[in-house]
Amino acid sequence: MLEIKDLHASINGKEILKGLSLSVKPGEIHAIMGPNGSGKSTLSSVITGNPSFEVTQGSIVFESKDLQKMAPEERANEGIFLSFQYPVEIPGVSMVNFMRTAINEQRKYRNLPPISATDFLRIMREKKALVEMDNKLTNRSVNEGFSGGEKKRNEIFQMAMLEPKLAILDETDSGLDIDALRIVANGVNKLKSPENATIVITHYQRLLEYIIPDYVHVLYDGKIVKSGGKELAMELETRGYDWIKQEVVV
Amino acid sequence: MSDTIIHEVTQSEYKYGFTTDIETEVIPVGLNEDVVRMISAKKNEPEWMLEFRLKAYRHWLTMKMPEWAHLNIPEIDYQSISYFAAPRKNAPQSLDEVDPELLKTFDKLGIPLEEQKALSGIAVDAVMDSVSVKTTFKETLAEMGIIFCSFSEAVEHHPDLVKKYMGTVVPHTDNFFAALNSAVFSDGSFVYIPKGVRCPMELSTYFRINAINTGQFERTLIVADEDSYVSYLEGCTAPQRDENQLHAAIVEIVAMKNADVKYSTVQNWYPGDKDGKGGIYNFVTKRGICKGENSHISWTQVETGSAITWKYPSCILMGDNSSAEFYSVAVTNHHQQADTGSKMIHLGKNTSSHILSKGISAGVSQNSYRGLVKVGVNAENARNFSQCDSLLLGDKCGAHTFPYMEVNNESAIVEHEATTSKISEDQIFYCNQRGISSEDAVGLIVNGYAKEVVDKLPMEFAVEAQKLLQITLEGSVG
């Protein structure tokens, strides 16, 4: 589904990713862990096409398509979703209108007619229930005045609405209390299917108690330096990252 | 990348740049008493009208162009402008007689006359280059005693009403452009709603400049007698031109006791090209007077065009308990300059006014809000609330707010709020990531920002306004 090979990327001339390779198949959950500044968020930005980052080398192929040739919105409409670490506020644009526009853009991309009002409202209702989201939130402007936890929940709500093939959760657990974490994780698990894949980017093992990864990768200095099963996450939790750094140096 | 997306989105050129090939009759360039007399003669005006024009012309000679606005206005040579142009053909009686070219023009604007006639029940008084070409629904309105016609017809058929009200809200001495308009005005609309009549349909006039180098000087007078109601719409787009075109209109509104007048406009004059070449100069004096008790006037405007805009729809709150509103969205892009706002003059007791101004600046444009709230000595319990918001796209444009307040009565409550915000790259990328293109994202954000004002427009206009603001309609859902 997603094939990243020898990826190098930089921001403002500074190289952050230095030869990263990753392969994700449908139905899989991959966790990307690593210390601060190792390039975790850069990876999500580059996959989704954030124009602040420049890919200098390597390739990203999603379902046989070269992502680098596609605009961010095309990548989104191909089925790549990013749950932002810091979701932005868009004053004046209601969640309802935002979501309807996004869904209709996706449908247009797939040569489908715009969604009917009744279908849209029904899906909204279902997906809101999934992440236990308050009705009041969807009547407000996008993320405006939302608490940190509400913003994260709103990201998962949008993910549920857009039903991506590949979802990237960038530090979705940060700023969440334990109840919110459970709700968010529960939402993610319910959306899981043999056809779609998830990349979970996180600092801590905590989220991985709820979202069980098939693979855990350790990112350090712009490269994946170690990969393993979910037990690797446990090991990182108890031993920290220093031993990984040692290994890399050796 | 910081500016690239916004740059691309805001660099789209004027979409309504086309001219209509209709025979026009133009008098030689320049302005003097003979030209004023010639205009009057061509329109077969009575002596009193000519006298009004000449008085205004003579006063204009003593005046200078105002320089206080936050505008950089190139010197205008008033002797190189032609002051009158009229389609040669006589006014047609039915659509069949209307020049097909003209109908095509309206089609391009998305304003098919036939459909409007048939579907929306709007009476359209289409002003094409100074002379009214088509008036519809006049008979229906006439049955209720409503007069809706071109200004010239009003001068001919309703001289008493014109004499009684013309120049009472905007006197010919008011300002430089008002004096100029009073001397050379070509045509415009006249509306009279008799006592106790509620006008059953939206009255609309579409203005369009369509002759090279011809200044257009409309004059509109709306009189709402006691206990009456009218909603008046005015909209315009203009064809692409290299020469700068001068536009100096006057709109006067009179609201008598318990009368309610709603004036809405979508303005899209040609703003000049990307480099600031060409474009309309729009110097407009719009003013209403709430003359009687409990009267009400509201101005709603969506301003997207003109190279230079100088416009302050205002209201004099004379009657006790009268109220007025000003809702505005002004968009400037490329090299456009706008200095616009409102004046609310509180004279009567318990009067209230509300100003809501939303400026959107892009490119290297300059967008200024200038407003005056004045409370007279006898205006007990006057209230005003002003809100001026600015939205910036990119970092080369400017937004300015110049609020003036003159409060001469201690019981008055006058409030002013202002905010400035900017569309960030993060917001645009967030939308991109949800499958929304940068252009649509800007449209969505601008739409959301302007919604409060656009919602005040009558339905038909709101649609056109949203088109102009590059946006998708915020639908019934939600």
Side-chain angles (χ1 to χ4, degrees):
Chain A
M1 179 182 250
L2 181 73
E3 287 291 336
I4 300 176
K5 282 189 185 137
D6 191 31
L7 185 66
H8 292 252
S10 54
I11 182 167
N12 299 327
K14 186 173 185 262
E15 188 168 62
I16 309 286
L17 297 183
K18 303 169 181 174
L20 184 146
S21 296
L22 179 68
S23 174
V24 178
K25 293 186 183 63
E28 293 179 348
I29 295 180
H30 289 247
I32 310 266
M33 302 182 73
N36 283 329
S38 57
K40 299 191 298 291
S41 286
T42 300
L43 177 62
S44 66
S45 296
V46 171
I47 295 172
T48 51
N50 187 324
S52 305
F53 295 86
E54 191 193 355
V55 174
T56 51
Q57 201 183 314
S59 64
I60 319 173
V61 175
F62 179 70
E63 296 197 311
S64 321
K65 288 178 186 118
D66 181 0
L67 284 188
Q68 285 179 71
K69 289 185 180 141
M70 300 167 86
E73 61 269 25
E74 289 176 285
R75 301 181 198 204
N77 288 328
E78 283 289 338
I80 298 176
F81 180 91
L82 171 62
S83 168
F84 283 79
Q85 184 177 3
Y86 304 108
V88 295
E89 301 190 359
I90 311 179
V93 180
S94 71
M95 265 314 293
V96 172
N97 193 33
F98 182 71
M99 231 39 259
R100 205 171 55 105
T101 307
I103 283 184
N104 282 334
E105 286 300 316
Q106 192 186 68
R107 290 177 66 90
K108 194 164 85 189
Y109 189 82
R110 294 170 189 175
N111 292 317
L112 295 168
I115 192 165
S116 73
T118 39
D119 283 351
F120 178 73
L121 287 174
R122 181 178 48 77
I123 297 170
M124 281 273 287
R125 225 172 14 245
E126 284 171 19
K127 307 297 183 180
K128 267 193 287 199
L130 191 72
V131 290
E132 300 176 31
M133 194 151 124
D134 202 314
N135 271 328
K136 275 183 283 186
L137 293 185
T138 45
N139 290 333
R140 279 203 237 151
S141 294
V142 179
N143 292 322
E144 196 181 35
F146 286 32
S147 71
E150 285 167 344
K151 282 182 184 172
K152 293 300 174 75
R153 222 186 278 192
N154 189 23
E155 294 293 290
I156 303 305
F157 163 69
Q158 293 178 47
M159 175 177 134
M161 291 294 290
L162 293 166
E163 299 184 328
K165 292 179 203 157
L166 174 67
I168 304 166
L169 311 182
D170 191 356
E171 306 272 2
T172 298
D173 49 340
S174 67
L176 288 187
D177 61 35
I178 200 77
D179 290 332
L181 185 70
R182 195 176 36 75
I183 291 165
V184 164
N186 194 25
V188 173
N189 286 330
K190 277 187 190 154
L191 295 168
K192 203 187 164 213
S193 82
E195 286 81 42
N196 61 30
T198 309
I199 296 175
V200 183
I201 294 173
T202 181
H203 257 81
Y204 306 106
Q205 189 262 346
R206 195 176 65 153
L207 179 64
L208 303 179
E209 286 172 13
Y210 298 94
I211 303 173
I212 313 293
D214 301 300
Y215 302 94
V216 174
H217 309 277
V218 180
L219 191 59
Y220 178 66
D221 195 24
K223 273 186 276 207
I224 287 174
V225 293
K226 199 171 184 63
S227 296
K230 64 180 180 219
E231 65 288 343
L232 178 56
M234 304 293 283
E235 197 175 353
L236 287 169
E237 186 75 3
T238 44
R239 297 178 64 187
Y241 289 106
D242 281 349
W243 64 280
I244 301 266
K245 292 179 192 171
Q246 297 295 332
E247 266 183 25
V248 172
V249 173
V250 173
Chain B
M1 79 119 189
S2 100
D3 273 334
T4 45
I5 290 172
I6 281 170
H7 183 77
E8 277 167 23
V9 169
T10 56
Q11 293 304 300
S12 65
E13 289 210 62
Y14 190 68
K15 292 196 177 73
Y16 299 113
F18 47 82
T19 60
T20 308
D21 196 12
I22 291 181
E23 285 180 78
T24 34
E25 185 186 0
V26 180
I27 64 171
V29 298
L31 184 55
N32 52 48
E33 279 207 18
D34 288 344
V35 169
V36 175
R37 286 175 195 281
M38 206 187 303
I39 292 169
S40 191
K42 275 193 185 295
K43 299 171 75 67
N44 295 317
E45 286 177 352
E47 190 60 26
W48 59 268
M49 197 67 245
L50 175 63
E51 283 307 315
F52 178 87
R53 288 177 181 277
L54 288 173
K55 201 166 59 182
Y57 172 71
R58 286 170 197 141
H59 189 81
W60 178 73
L61 289 176
T62 69
M63 301 178 93
K64 275 202 177 124
M65 245 179 87
E67 286 170 348
W68 43 260
H70 188 76
L71 298 170
N72 183 10
I73 307 171
E75 201 169 323
I76 298 169
D77 181 0
Y78 291 91
Q79 295 305 333
S80 69
I81 294 168
S82 170
Y83 289 86
F84 187 77
R88 280 227 180 86
K89 293 171 183 172
N90 293 326
Q93 301 303 308
S94 76
L95 279 178
D96 302 339
E97 293 174 45
V98 173
D99 193 310
E101 283 292 317
L102 177 60
L103 296 179
K104 260 190 238 166
T105 302
F106 284 118
D107 281 345
K108 281 186 215 168
L109 292 171
I111 314 155
L113 270 175
E114 306 92 321
E115 272 184 36
Q116 289 202 354
K117 238 176 110 175
L119 297 173
S120 59
I122 296 177
V124 175
D125 181 355
V127 171
M128 182 81 167
D129 275 289
S130 319
V131 166
S132 291
V133 182
K134 180 90 198 124
T135 304
T136 50
F137 280 109
K138 212 187 286 183
E139 290 83 6
T140 321
L141 296 172
E143 281 168 22
M144 305 181 77
I146 294 170
I147 303 167
F148 176 41
C149 62
S150 73
F151 204 90
S152 311
E153 285 175 277
V155 168
E156 193 181 340
H157 300 297
H158 311 283
D160 294 343
L161 284 171
V162 175
K163 265 195 251 181
K164 187 172 174 191
Y165 293 106
M166 181 180 65
T168 59
V169 192
V170 181
H172 70 273
T173 53
D174 191 81
N175 67 70
F176 181 84
F177 301 111
L180 180 64
N181 175 290
S182 299
V184 301
F185 71 88
S186 27
D187 211 333
S189 296
F190 177 80
V191 176
Y192 176 78
I193 315 291
K195 277 183 195 175
V197 171
R198 202 181 155 81
C199 185
M201 59 184 86
E202 314 267 8
L203 299 182
S204 80
T205 306
Y206 289 92
F207 293 96
R208 186 173 176 79
I209 292 181
N210 197 37
I212 296 170
N213 250 348
T214 308
Q216 182 138 4
F217 305 92
E218 297 93 356
R219 191 166 183 114
T220 296
L221 175 58
I222 299 169
V223 180
D225 218 325
E226 290 179 15
D227 301 302
S228 70
Y229 164 83
V230 65
S231 170
Y232 183 87
L233 322 181
E234 178 216 274
C236 44
T237 61
Q240 199 152 352
R241 289 293 180 205
D242 272 342
E243 300 285 330
N244 287 309
Q245 291 180 299
L246 179 63
H247 180 84
I250 287 181
V251 176
E252 295 179 285
I253 298 176
V254 180
M256 307 304 274
K257 190 178 167 186
N258 296 325
D260 185 359
V261 179
K262 189 179 153 96
Y263 185 102
S264 314
T265 181
V266 173
Q267 187 271 112
N268 186 27
W269 299 113
Y270 177 53
D273 67 13
K274 278 187 215 177
D275 305 314
K277 194 163 175 262
I280 308 292
Y281 295 174
N282 194 25
F283 305 110
V284 182
T285 308
K286 292 189 172 185
R287 192 176 304 152
I289 182 164
C290 289
K291 213 166 179 177
E293 282 171 39
N294 298 313
S295 55
H296 174 244
I297 293 176
S298 81
W299 298 100
T300 304
Q301 62 171 25
V302 173
E303 299 272 322
T304 63
S306 298
I308 300 174
T309 303
W310 181 96
K311 181 178 177 186
Y312 317 91
S314 304
C315 206
I316 301 166
L317 296 135
M318 198 168 106
D320 291 346
N321 306 314
S322 61
S323 58
E325 285 117 34
F326 172 72
Y327 303 112
S328 170
V329 175
V331 186
T332 54
N333 196 359
H334 304 305
H335 290 261
Q336 278 178 274
Q337 307 174 62
D339 194 301
T340 182
S342 183
K343 286 190 279 185
M344 293 293 179
I345 316 289
H346 293 256
L347 300 177
K349 293 178 177 43
N350 306 316
T351 50
S352 66
S353 64
H354 181 197
I355 292 173
L356 175 60
S357 166
K358 300 252 179 191
I360 301 166
S361 328
V364 291
S365 67
Q366 295 291 327
N367 201 331
S368 304
Y369 167 82
R370 186 182 304 275
L372 169 68
V373 176
K374 190 172 176 175
V375 178
V377 187
N378 300 318
E380 296 291 329
N381 302 317
R383 300 201 63 137
N384 163 267
F385 178 70
S386 302
Q387 187 183 335
C388 305
D389 298 334
S390 306
L391 181 68
L392 302 170
L393 285 79
D395 52 13
K396 294 182 185 69
C397 51
H400 317 270
T401 305
F402 305 97
Y404 302 82
M405 286 176 194
E406 278 180 54
V407 181
N408 299 313
N409 185 303
E410 279 184 2
S411 63
I413 300 174
V414 177
E415 294 169 87
H416 179 89
E417 277 180 17
T419 66
T420 303
S421 52
K422 200 177 162 182
I423 296 184
S424 71
E425 299 300 332
D426 286 349
Q427 287 174 326
I428 291 180
F429 181 66
Y430 190 82
C431 294
N432 288 160
Q433 215 301 304
R434 300 301 184 245
I436 302 165
S437 71
S438 301
E439 191 166 340
D440 290 344
V442 169
L444 202 60
I445 295 167
V446 166
N447 179 15
Y449 170 78
K451 191 174 183 299
E452 225 180 320
V453 172
V454 173
D455 280 354
K456 306 284 183 197
L457 290 172
M459 189 65 139
E460 308 85 281
F461 250 28
V463 175
E464 194 179 332
Q466 279 164 330
K467 259 193 222 163
L468 284 175
L469 293 174
Q470 264 190 5
I471 18 182
T472 40
L473 186 73
E474 182 145 3
S476 50
V477 184

